[in-house]
Amino acid sequence: MVDPLTLEPRIRAIGAQLAELSAGHSPALFDSRWWSQTTINLAMKDPMFKAQLFRFIDVLPALKQDAQVIHMAREYFGEMGEQIFGLQWGLKALSATGLGAALSGKTIRHQVQQMAKTFIAGSTIADAVPVLERLWKEKRGYSVDLLGEATVGEREADLYQEQCATAAKELSAASAAWPSTSLLERDHMGALPRAQLSLKLSALCSQLDPADPEGSYRAVAGRLRSLLDVVCSLPASIVFDMEQAETKDLVLFIFRKVFSEEPYRSYPYAGLALQAYRRDAHTDVESMCAWARQRQAPVTIRLVKGAYWDSDTIRYRQRGWPVPLFEHKAETDANYEILVRLVLQHSDVIRPAFGTHNLRSLAVVEAMAEALGVNPEVWEYQMIFGMAEPFQTAIAKLGRRLRIYTPVGELLPGMAYLVRRLLENTSNESFLRKEYVESQSLTQLMMPPSGSHQVSNSSVARSTETFPDGPDEFQNEPHSDFSQSVARQSMQDAIHGVRKQLGLVLPEEQVHASGAELITRNPDAPEQIIGRARAYTPSDVVSLNQMSLKRFLEWSVTSVESRVTILRQASGLMRRRRYELAAWEIFEQGKPWREADADVAEAIDFLNFYADEMLRIGVPQRLGHAPGELNHRLVGPRGVTAVIAPWNFPLAIPAGMVSAALVTGNTVLFKPSERALVMGHLLVEILVEAGLPRGVLQLVPGGPEIGQALVTAPVVATIAFTGSRDVGLSILDAAGVRASGQSYVKKVIAEMGGKNAIIVDDTADVDEAVIGVVTSFTGYSGQKCSACSRVIVHADVYDTFVRRLADAVMSLRIGSPEDPGTQVGPLIDERAEKRVREYVRIGKEEGRILVERQVNQPGYFVGPIVFIDVESSHRLAQEEIFGPVLSVMKAKTCEEAICLANDTIYALTGGIYSRSPANIELARKRFDVGNLYINRPITGALVGRQPFGGHRLSGVGAKAGGTDYLWQFLVTRVVSEQTIRRGFAPAE
């Protein structure tokens, strides 16, 4: 074992040698001759400007007209744009004429393109070949990465596969004529191909899903095998890039599986990138080395630091998941040095490739290899085209094998890649910045990483940090991370266990039900009975009322702390039973895995959030501080509450309404949907197990008639309803009629659905917009009140959006909710299927079908369908459908799109995809919805973070999951005491 401390003198000496070899050179991005120097320097000093600059660069590909470029520059930078882009006249003056706009717009576009050319070798392979040949003659190999749009559909995946195969052939043919260079063409294992491709699996299949490794492999294998047949025949080498953290295990799984297949088992030029910023990287390197040894054919490991730290860290923190990456750059650098040694020690089966632009890391490789006695031909260095050119020169002068990671593709679509490179270069932790901008000394640059002692080699070492809030801040229950095998196995086990319990007979409640038997069935297999329950009838309501009123007298005087404790204990029980509860939803409501899991997490959130809120508002509040008087606001329960819940969120929505009523001291008569009997029973069961006295919450299975009877019952003071507009309005009407013996003005809380729209403007990221729209209109087969049913697209991007939308819809995986890879499952029952099919018939009369998915399997399936040429007056654009039916509409401006979006009787959710600050601000002010989502899907509101609810005919009442929701179940009293007696008042 080599002690790293004994290597330090040698590391410093080699670092000094490399620094001397790189002297007199500087990275192109920091070269003073470039216009970008001033801008980049400003970005490094001002984080706000940096964000604006990179966002402007990101939106530039969407701007087709030069006038748009000027307009957007002004939106992002104001008058500072004149300084940024080095114009001789102000943007305002230039854009006054068409010629001026063209001149300045072209100038801006040209300058950003010049920056992109720093990192992109050419728009096509033919364009890039001269660049690659120059690199070759400078003793530098290459690995080509084909840039392009995100793959949102399988046609695009086919195109990417064809482009990769063609690129491999063209590169192999072109490079055959180049001069022989043994340094680049041989290593310790033999000959090396001249051509190398870097491959992104996410571009080769639009439906990769970490929750379903086997299904994902089947989806990608055909294209992957076809491409491998080409690279094996040439031969060329191929390296799988590592992408977002959530897909890491999936990429490893697919890589090992395909290269274990007989045609590719002996292929010696397969490679995989592994990221040192991952806490489990050591385990992954060890397992890859062991697998390569068992495979008996060499494998390349491209060891990199990692390029997605910012986005991965943000995404994991948003989701409340432990961050699987090191939190500090020094920890990553230290881990990299550990992994260098590990990879070199296995060089008998590994072709090591060290990707780094860090002078110390380069020196560590040299020193470690020297100490281990590893010949320099064993490994190669890899650096990125346009980055660290001085170090590229130094490595070439040293006589080491060097390969340049070289992106090829259209400059403007490559802006996402450009932004990632700029983020690296301008980061506070960037080695290149430290050396070439901040001019740190060689001694500082060669210091060992300060986090060396903190690095663990264990895959168990995972950050527990989620949100930066304090310990008392409410935190949402994280959804399951199905990229983790433990979560996948837990769900599979739960499905297996629940399947054995199907046909569950719900136990009798305290009040006997006299109605007929109700049955819920599996929407995916209608012959399968899920649960049975005896229904209540209107004649049973008197007994229900008497029991609930009696329990109210006891429960209403229970302390707030006791009620809160019960809710928190119930949330703990739900957390322990989360996969069982989700499995019941899979069977009873036909929810796919993630939808079912998210519903359980939201139910837990409601219990905890309302418990916290009741502690906050349940204490008497002093009003004013006038001397001689004491004023307090007190709160108390309203009385008996009727909760009438839907089937589409069968645990979360009733848990929210029921827990809000209970924690405020009310008793509850809870009528679940006839399609969610088992889930309603499980909610009651959990609350009772948590300590809720029996009878305080009474389950009331039954049909519409029992719901109507509860609404009109004289003792019911509050009605909490979620469901259709027509039923909601009828409840409001009925509640306004005073029944005999009624001593309350009934309070109605009604959430009643929507006709929700997403706007896609001419600056939108079409990749994100297509994915967001598809997610929003097909999630749970469109059976959400928040689902997108209209998308209003700017005319300039309409054709592109529609084409890509069709491909994305045709690529969705439709099937049984029990399958982890299913994205679209069945509708809830036959009645829902008939209703949706009727709207499909109407749509065929009003609009034109863009795409219609046919489904031929048992169950209540209606495949996603998209209509175009839909007018605002059409029924398709006005009426709630509650199924996977989408209408596409066209608008000439963002203002027109907002008017179209507002042109319904509903106001629930809406969204806009835009990179125009002005259009986003316009939507904030004028898009009339209860929940507006910007550049994200419009479903999936989280308790506390996005309190949910609408207005107009979408509902009445405070937002669920918000700080004012509990007030609807309370009455407030004010007690005012005169404290002056005999001329004096007690001291306060």
Side-chain angles (χ1 to χ4, degrees), residues 536-541 544 671 700-711:
Y536 285 89
T537 66
S539 62
D540 300 323
V541 170
L544 288 168
K671 179 199 171 301
V700 187
E705 68 284 351
I706 191 66
Q708 185 176 9
L710 291 175
V711 168

Side-chain angles (χ1 to χ4, degrees), residues 329-397:
K329 180 67 163 55
E331 294 175 295
T332 295
D333 289 340
N335 197 40
Y336 191 88
E337 295 184 8
I338 292 171
L339 297 176
V340 164
R341 180 177 61 208
L342 180 62
V343 171
L344 287 172
Q345 286 172 333
H346 290 277
S347 58
D348 59 322
V349 292
I350 296 298
R351 285 188 153 110
F354 298 110
T356 180
H357 304 127
N358 183 303
L359 181 63
R360 177 179 168 88
S361 297
L362 294 169
V364 165
V365 173
E366 292 288 327
M368 184 62 68
E370 186 179 279
L372 293 172
V374 177
N375 192 292
E377 70 172 357
V378 167
W379 75 91
E380 69 180 36
Y381 294 105
Q382 295 197 1
M383 298 185 189
I384 293 173
F385 184 79
M387 288 182 67
E389 293 95 329
F391 295 157
Q392 293 183 24
T393 300
I395 291 297
K397 287 180 178 178

Side-chain angles (χ1 to χ4, degrees), residues 171-252:
L171 290 168
S172 185
S175 61
W178 299 348
S180 178
T181 305
S182 60
L183 176 67
L184 303 178
E185 296 183 81
R186 294 197 65 82
D187 68 1
H188 62 304
M189 294 183 180
L192 292 172
R194 295 185 174 189
Q196 183 178 103
L197 278 181
S198 287
L199 175 77
K200 288 182 171 56
L201 279 181
S202 65
L204 204 57
C205 178
S206 67
Q207 305 304 316
L208 290 180
D209 186 350
D212 185 20
E214 290 289 349
S216 295
Y217 181 74
R218 291 191 297 271
V220 77
R223 294 188 194 92
L224 191 52
R225 293 185 188 117
S226 178
L227 177 58
L228 291 178
D229 289 341
V230 172
V231 298
C232 288
S233 66
L234 291 171
S237 56
I238 190 167
V239 178
F240 286 26
D241 276 336
M242 197 59 72
E243 301 179 67
Q244 283 74 22
E246 192 179 353
T247 64
K248 185 267 294 181
D249 286 341
L250 180 61
V251 172
L252 284 169

Side-chain angles (χ1 to χ4, degrees), residues 119-133:
F119 301 105
I120 300 173
S123 59
T124 65
I125 294 295
D127 291 340
V129 163
V131 178
L132 300 176
E133 184 176 6

Side-chain angles (χ1 to χ4, degrees), residues 119-120 145-149 160 163 200 407-410 413-414 417:
F119 301 105
I120 300 173
D145 170 33
L146 296 181
L147 300 177
E149 299 168 322
Y160 179 75
Q163 290 172 335
K200 288 182 171 56
V408 174
E410 295 291 336
Y417 175 84

Side-chain angles (χ1 to χ4, degrees), residues 287-310:
S287 66
M288 279 297 299
C289 293
W291 174 78
R293 198 172 299 282
Q294 177 268 330
R295 179 177 176 253
Q296 297 183 331
V299 172
T300 297
I301 289 182
R302 176 193 286 162
L303 185 64
V304 299
K305 303 288 179 70
Y308 299 90
W309 188 91
D310 296 274

